[in-house]
Amino acid sequence: MAEDLIISGESKVEKYENLLPQLKGLLSGEVNKIANTANLCAALKTTFNWYWIGFYWVDTPDELVLGPFQGPIACTRIKKGKGVCGTAWETEKVQIVPDVEAFPGHIACSAFSKSEIVLPVWQGDKLIGVLDVDSDTLDSFDAIDEKYLAKICEILVHTF
Ligand code: SME
């Protein structure tokens, strides 16, 4: 039985540091990819209240498909190389976008999304999807988010 998260910490680093051990506990008892990915999105939403948090999984050689998420409805499929997510997949690099309107080809699932970070999700040396986080304020993400969200993805993929 899951228990409530304890949200604590003033700074972003403190919040991530407090979240990490709780996430490990939350995810370690389950091996199902959907269950753990869904709970991970809920934990991030509860902790940071970002506008949209979710996963897109590699579904075909050139297409991502929407996975578990928290937030408003979103586009279901994204082609390789398209938008921020497709770019993260194609380049295999984290994309930090301070202003989505300045990102050529950004896919606007919602007009409220202002900044975004997308991380490739690796299972061993295989890119299996991306984690996409959107904020309704400009310039919300930096190297701290990149570092901790990468750790969080690593914790996740080791559970399934
Ligand atoms: N903005 C993303 C699309 C996904 S939504 O933000 C949930 C992109 O450009 O790839």
Side-chain angles (χ1 to χ4, degrees):
M1 174 81 186
E3 291 175 18
D4 282 344
L5 279 184
I6 299 163
I7 315 294
S8 58
E10 292 293 315
S11 68
K12 189 153 74 172
V13 169
E14 285 170 348
K15 284 187 179 153
Y16 277 118
E17 288 289 347
N18 292 330
L19 177 64
L20 277 176
Q22 297 187 75
L23 260 186
K24 283 182 190 159
L26 178 69
L27 305 183
S28 65
E30 180 53 65
V31 297
N32 183 275
K33 182 177 175 180
I34 294 174
N36 276 349
T37 309
N39 252 349
L40 168 49
C41 292
L44 286 173
K45 178 77 177 166
T46 310
T47 304
F48 294 103
N49 199 27
W50 287 313
Y51 183 69
W52 196 92
I53 300 144
F55 287 83
Y56 282 93
W57 302 122
V58 174
D59 190 51
T60 69
D62 73 339
E63 216 166 49
L64 297 166
V65 69
L66 183 63
F69 68 95
Q70 289 268 318
I73 57 170
C75 8
T76 51
R77 290 188 176 268
I78 297 175
K79 291 272 185 206
K80 195 171 197 174
K82 297 291 176 195
V84 187
C85 293
T87 301
W89 179 19
E90 188 173 60
T91 60
E92 302 189 344
K93 291 210 162 42
V94 176
Q95 304 292 310
I96 295 178
V97 182
D99 178 357
V100 295
E101 284 186 18
F103 187 97
H106 167 257
I107 301 165
C109 291
S110 162
F112 290 107
S113 176
K114 299 284 184 235
S115 60
E116 184 164 358
I117 182 170
V118 180
L119 295 95
V121 178
W122 296 94
Q123 197 162 41
D125 57 5
K126 193 174 169 209
L127 194 160
I128 60 166
V130 300
L131 169 60
D132 180 12
V133 184
D134 289 33
S135 164
D136 57 7
T137 55
L138 290 167
D139 204 9
S140 292
F141 305 106
D142 56 24
I144 294 171
D145 300 289
E146 176 175 351
K147 175 181 151 186
Y148 283 101
L149 291 173
K151 274 190 195 185
I152 286 169
C153 288
E154 219 179 294
I155 293 168
L156 173 74
V157 296
H158 279 103
T159 66
F160 52 76

